[in-house]
């Protein structure tokens, strides 16, 4: 008799569905990312160059450094959000032709803030930037969902306070 786990019942089907939607699965064993921001620099640089053909490689590196600085702000991501949605300068996301963007899915990518640690089940990357966290729970697992909400609300409040 097969044992049903959260992975087999929810996580793997979710990842397979995302792949059918056009996301590429990226194994963390084969990937490199910035541990401070969890941005995947190779994917980011390639995507930014594709979306902004006139940009120089040095400018992309400066842009990445600028994004890292904006993520250190204590504004809960307001400056980063403005950079992300600004379509007048260098585009981080192509909102006019969404297919120009690169889409990846990774699992269990750890986020750290001082002593706090958070590891979402599934993370969606757009152009190498982690923009969506997905926590999966077995069906009808109300207590698990509530516990996860409380844990993550505490972590978000803690990181905002530090």
């Amino acid at each position: 008799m097969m044992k049903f786990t959260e992975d087999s019942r929810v996580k793997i089907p979710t990842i397979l569905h995302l792949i059918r939607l056009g996301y590429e699965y990226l194994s963390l064993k084969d990937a490199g990312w910035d541990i401070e921001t969890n941005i995947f620099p190779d994917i980011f640089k390639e995507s930014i160059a594709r979306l902004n053909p006139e940009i120089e490689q040095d400018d992309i590196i400066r842009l990445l450094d600028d994004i890292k600085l904006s993520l250190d702000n204590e504004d809960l991501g307001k400056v980063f959000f403005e950079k992300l949605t600004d379509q007048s300068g260098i585009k981080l996301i192509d909102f006019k032709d969404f297919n120009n963007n690169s889409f990846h899915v990774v699992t269990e990518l750890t986020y750290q803030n001082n002593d706090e640690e958070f590891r979402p089940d599934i993370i969606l990357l757009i152009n190498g930037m982690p923009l969506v966290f997905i926590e999966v729970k077995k069906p009808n697992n109300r207590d698990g969902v509530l516990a996860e909400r409380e844990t993550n609300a505490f972590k978000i409040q803690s990181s905002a306070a530090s």
Side-chain angles (χ1 to χ4, degrees), residues 25-133:
Y25 178 77
L26 187 60
S27 169
L28 293 181
K29 289 181 215 151
D30 304 327
W33 65 93
D34 179 286
I35 59 169
E36 291 177 23
T37 63
N38 282 1
I39 292 174
F40 289 66
D42 291 344
I43 298 169
F44 177 86
K45 291 173 190 172
E46 184 270 323
S47 298
I48 298 305
R50 185 179 61 255
L51 298 180
N52 305 277
E54 71 288 347
I55 195 170
E56 299 289 327
Q57 203 61 34
D58 288 347
D59 292 330
I60 295 174
I61 293 167
R62 275 192 288 281
L63 174 64
L64 185 54
D65 290 340
D66 190 38
I67 289 172
K68 288 178 187 180
L69 286 173
S70 73
L71 291 171
D72 280 341
N73 287 347
E74 294 191 18
D75 64 355
L76 298 178
K78 186 176 186 296
V79 170
F80 174 67
F81 177 76
E82 289 168 359
K83 284 182 191 312
L84 199 61
T85 55
D86 182 18
Q87 294 295 292
S88 62
I90 298 172
K91 284 189 258 182
L92 297 180
I93 295 178
D94 188 340
F95 288 101
K96 289 189 174 85
D97 184 357
F98 221 62
N99 290 326
N100 279 339
N101 300 295
S102 67
F103 301 92
H104 293 85
V105 57
V106 298
T107 59
E108 308 288 333
L109 181 61
T110 302
Y111 287 76
Q112 290 183 296
N113 183 13
N114 301 324
D115 293 338
E116 294 292 320
E117 197 173 279
F118 168 56
R119 189 172 42 230
D121 294 324
I122 299 171
I123 300 91
L124 303 183
L125 308 171
I126 300 177
N127 298 332
M129 297 174 288
L131 298 179
V132 179
F133 301 150

Side-chain angles (χ1 to χ4, degrees), residues 137 141-151:
K137 296 292 168 224
N141 185 3
R142 180 171 158 65
D143 292 337
V145 171
L146 292 175
E148 196 68 42
R149 185 186 78 186
E150 294 301 317
T151 300

